[in-house]
Amino acid sequence: WGQPYGCPAGQSGYYGRGPIQLSWNFNYKAAGDALGIDLLNNPWLVQNDASVAWKTALWYWNTQTGPGSMTGHNAMVDQAGFGQTIRSINGSLECDGRNPAQVQSRVTTYQRFTQILGTSPGGNLYC
């Protein structure tokens, strides 16, 4: 509610949707502005249109640091590690001891996928 544009879809309208679980009115506003889509007034597009869902995920991954200091993309390509992607996406809720079980679940899943792909998970897996 503290943003000048408020919550036109209702305060509960900005829950996590899409591959990166876009949340909060300020993220819907910024993503919509970047993509030329009015997501502030129609956040349901992220759940109802797969193209919009993936566009918002790629927008966040490549441009937003969230509570971290780098984007998820930069964390991986600059070899800062998977843990920094967690911090960028959901760090304020999970990192620094806030939800160690969720962090462990993310790391375990990431390790499983890297094993399936035959690649190394690298270092710095935890935030």
Side-chain angles (χ1 to χ4, degrees), residues 24 32 36 38 56 68 91 101 117 124:
W24 305 105
D38 185 5
T56 62
L117 294 171
N124 303 317

Side-chain angles (χ1 to χ4, degrees), residues 15-24 27-28 46 52-64 66 71-73 85-86 88-90 94 106:
Y15 59 85
R17 298 179 178 93
I20 289 196
Q21 295 290 288
L22 191 69
S23 301
W24 305 105
N27 281 323
Y28 278 88
V46 180
V52 172
W54 282 102
K55 287 176 184 178
T56 62
L58 290 168
W59 165 80
Y60 195 96
W61 179 258
N62 286 295
T63 67
Q64 301 303 297
T71 66
H73 174 78
T85 70
I86 299 170
S88 295
I89 295 170
N90 224 21
E94 296 177 9
R106 291 184 191 284

Side-chain angles (χ1 to χ4, degrees), residues 39-76:
L39 295 178
L40 185 65
N41 287 294
N42 194 357
W44 301 277
L45 282 174
V46 180
Q47 84 183 29
N48 295 330
D49 185 326
S51 175
V52 172
W54 282 102
K55 287 176 184 178
T56 62
L58 290 168
W59 165 80
Y60 195 96
W61 179 258
N62 286 295
T63 67
Q64 301 303 297
T65 63
S69 61
M70 64 186 70
T71 66
H73 174 78
N74 285 345
M76 295 307 285

